[in-house]
């Protein structure tokens, strides 16, 4: 697979070359954990890639749920994107201010909604700015555009499905959190959650899939990371993390590798760790501590 694939990942050079394309739409999907002390909307207002719209992941979510930024209802997704001027026939490129972090979640969300003409900007805004490329502080001119949505339910799993996969061991459950959180040695950033991991799951910390400059490793290197963590890539996969954000980095990596039988556990540890009736494992495991 080439570096530039408008359905998964594109380089800063590719985006610069296509920046003036009439059917290109760029989304700034920056989002940070509360302890990062960063305001993504304020950063967007100060400087963004020319023409970028701000995608508010917490707003474009299912706010009926007590869990953070769960996938929104189809109607809400359609209306929000239409108001942003993003719709049918557009090639979308999504980036974030961390390099490659929350943008993957929005890539997965578009895929969930049946939109596959979307790619993540490899290295994100930090790489774009490090290369001295143009940014602006002006809001884009937006014209409504209809979007046809066909939700792909196979790309998302709920707690019941994940519990069944954990018991049957017929699917690899892959956790993107740090090894310390996976083992239960470090406290969860969200109050009230137990520490540990879903029984039988494997640990692939999302950062292990990235190069030092925040870009994603090549497909062969990605495959080695998963295999070194004890993941059987011949099985279907479910990705999980703290709240369904970095799990999408694992999903994007598998898609880059050509593995398409993967889904994301949207509730992730925010849900599993909350309910005392769900089993957990702690401590080191034979494989998977990356």
């Amino acid at each position: 697979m080439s570096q530039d694939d408008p359905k998964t990942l594109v380089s800063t050079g590719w985006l610069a070359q296509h920046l003036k394309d009439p059917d290109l739409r760029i989304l700034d999907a920056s989002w940070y954990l509360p302890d990062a002390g960063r305001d993504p909307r304020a950063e967007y207002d100060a400087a963004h890639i020319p023409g970028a719209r701000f995608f508010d992941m917490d707003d474009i979510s299912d706010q009926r749920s007590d869990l953070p930024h769960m996938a929104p209802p189809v109607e809400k997704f359609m209306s929000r994107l239409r108001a942003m001027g993003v719709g049918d026939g557009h090639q979308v490129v999504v980036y974030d201010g961390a390099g490659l972090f929350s943008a993957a979640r929005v890539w997965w969300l578009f895929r969930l909604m049946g939109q596959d003409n979307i790619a993540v900007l490899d290295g994100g805004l930090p790489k774009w700015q490090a290369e001295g490329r143009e940014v602006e502080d002006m809001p884009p001119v937006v014209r409504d555009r209809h979007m046809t949505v066909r939700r792909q339910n196979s790309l998302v799993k709920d707690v019941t499905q994940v519990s069944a996969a954990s018991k049957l061991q017929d699917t690899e459950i892959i956790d993107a959190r740090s090894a310390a959180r996976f083992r239960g040695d470090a406290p969860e950033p969200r109050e009230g959650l137990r520490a540990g991991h879903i029984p039988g799951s494997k640990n692939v910390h999302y950062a292990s899939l990235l190069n030092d400059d925040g870009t994603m490793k090549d497909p062969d290197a990605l495959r080695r990371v998963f295999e070194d963590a004890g993941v059987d890539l011949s099985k279907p996969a479910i990705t999980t993390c703290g709240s369904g954000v970095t799990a999408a980095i694992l999903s994007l990596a598998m898609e880059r590798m050509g593995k398409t039988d993967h889904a994301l556990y949207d509730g992730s540890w925010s849900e599993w760790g909350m309910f005392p009736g769900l089993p957990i494992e702690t401590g080191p495991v034979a494989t998977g501590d990356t």
Side-chain angles (χ1 to χ4, degrees), residues 119-170:
V120 172
L121 179 63
D122 204 13
L125 187 62
K127 189 170 192 291
W128 181 269
Q129 290 185 299
E131 294 167 351
R133 300 187 189 274
E134 180 185 2
V135 293
E136 65 182 16
D137 59 5
M138 299 290 291
V141 176
V142 173
R143 295 182 179 87
D144 281 10
R145 179 90 160 235
H146 175 71
M147 176 180 283
T148 304
V149 170
R150 301 180 186 88
R151 184 177 159 106
Q152 307 297 305
N153 290 320
S154 62
L155 294 180
V156 65
K157 299 297 182 186
D158 63 22
V159 65
T160 303
Q161 293 167 311
V162 175
S163 180
S166 174
K167 290 172 184 172
L168 294 172
Q169 293 290 296
D170 58 350

Side-chain angles (χ1 to χ4, degrees), residues 157-179 181-184 188 194-204 237-244 247 250 263-275 277-285 287-289:
K157 299 297 182 186
D158 63 22
V159 65
T160 303
Q161 293 167 311
V162 175
S163 180
S166 174
K167 290 172 184 172
L168 294 172
Q169 293 290 296
D170 58 350
T171 300
E172 291 283 34
I173 302 171
I174 315 171
D175 193 322
R177 295 176 301 157
S178 68
R181 287 173 66 190
F182 181 81
R183 291 191 302 262
E188 286 297 308
R194 298 172 299 162
H197 57 267
I198 299 168
S201 59
K202 308 288 174 58
N203 184 212
V204 176
I238 297 172
T239 62
T240 183
C241 60
S243 65
L250 274 58
L264 185 146
Y265 173 25
D266 203 10
S268 283
W269 198 254
S270 294
E271 182 175 40
W272 194 280
M274 181 171 58
F275 294 111
L278 293 171
I280 62 170
E281 288 180 346
T282 58
V285 290
T287 58
D289 276 357

